[in-house]
Amino acid sequence: MYQTVLENGIVRYIESPLLRAIRLGRVIIIDEADKAAEHVVAVFKSLAGHGELTLPDGRRVRRARERDSDIVVHPNFRLVLLANRPGYRECPRHVS
């Protein structure tokens, strides 16, 4: 849930947009969630269904703090997942 950035020869880790939205109570919209890899869909399902998520570094995203390292889901956080219905086909584009 971090992005690695190289600035002036120094490697920095910054929060991903999803983690920032969770912590600050923002709305995040994920388009075409149906095309995401299975492990990514599992992350969204855990977060949307249970309000919980375990990060690769061992920290946890939770609705209430149980450990000092927990990241609490802000009450205003909203996750909007957009997906095409099963069997949906895009229409071919016509070239004039």
Side-chain angles (χ1 to χ4, degrees):
M1 296 293 243
Y2 283 93
Q3 296 173 333
T4 306
V5 178
L6 181 62
E7 292 178 346
N8 301 320
I10 299 171
V11 176
R12 289 186 345 129
Y13 299 96
I14 57 174
E15 290 182 334
S16 69
L18 176 59
L19 194 54
R20 229 178 6 260
I22 289 168
R23 195 173 50 77
L24 299 174
R26 297 181 177 156
V27 175
I28 189 161
I29 300 172
I30 308 296
D31 193 14
E32 296 191 346
D34 57 311
K35 295 180 182 176
E38 286 184 38
H39 69 279
V40 175
V41 172
V43 167
F44 293 142
K45 186 175 181 180
S46 176
L47 187 57
H50 306 291
E52 296 182 2
L53 178 63
T54 301
L55 303 176
D57 63 4
R59 292 179 304 150
R60 303 176 312 169
V61 172
R62 307 196 40 96
R63 292 179 196 227
R65 186 177 311 278
E66 292 180 4
R67 300 179 189 162
D68 289 340
S69 61
D70 286 349
I71 298 168
V72 178
V73 177
H74 193 284
N76 293 336
F77 169 70
R78 298 294 182 264
L79 173 64
V80 178
L81 298 172
L82 303 175
N84 296 316
R85 66 180 183 271
Y88 173 80
R89 273 186 11 167
E90 289 186 31
C91 295
R93 296 184 180 181
H94 299 283
V95 178
S96 301

